[in-house]
Amino acid sequence: MRKLKIAFACDHAGFELKEELINYCNLVNYTIKDFGSFSNESVDYPSFAHPLARAIETGEFDFGVSICGSGNGVNMVVNKYKKIR
């Protein structure tokens, strides 16, 4: 059986939730990649969202999870890519 590959990205406000989701994915043995953010300090979220979206668009990962405090910023960036919704 093929192992599900999931990528994650977030802004600083989504950091703690992203960490919880990654911990769960590790428990169920998914392959994961964390594109950042890597702390809850203020960041420029497109730096993390663009690489996540490119990895999904190219098929490197099966799914991507983008998280931000408002629910809008990170998602506006990733939705500019084909195959991302």
Side-chain angles (χ1 to χ4, degrees):
M1 186 169 163
R2 190 172 156 278
K3 204 171 171 181
L4 191 61
K5 296 175 7 180
I6 304 174
F8 291 87
C10 68
D11 69 355
H12 59 281
F15 173 73
E16 291 181 20
L17 176 58
K18 181 196 66 158
E19 292 298 300
E20 288 184 35
L21 292 171
I22 287 174
N23 287 336
Y24 173 78
C25 288
N26 284 325
L27 285 174
V28 295
N29 206 29
Y30 292 150
T31 299
I32 63 109
K33 174 148 180 147
D34 184 355
F35 284 97
S37 135
F38 301 105
S39 76
N40 58 5
E41 293 184 27
S42 186
V43 294
D44 184 22
Y45 60 82
S47 300
F48 310 113
H50 284 295
L52 166 74
R54 281 192 292 271
I56 300 303
E57 189 175 54
T58 63
E60 184 181 350
F61 289 88
D62 300 309
F63 296 99
V65 178
S66 59
I67 305 166
C68 77
S70 69
N72 292 317
V74 171
N75 295 319
M76 286 174 48
V77 172
V78 298
N79 280 333
K80 293 180 179 185
Y81 290 79
K82 293 180 180 179
K83 300 184 181 180
I84 306 288
R85 293 295 170 256

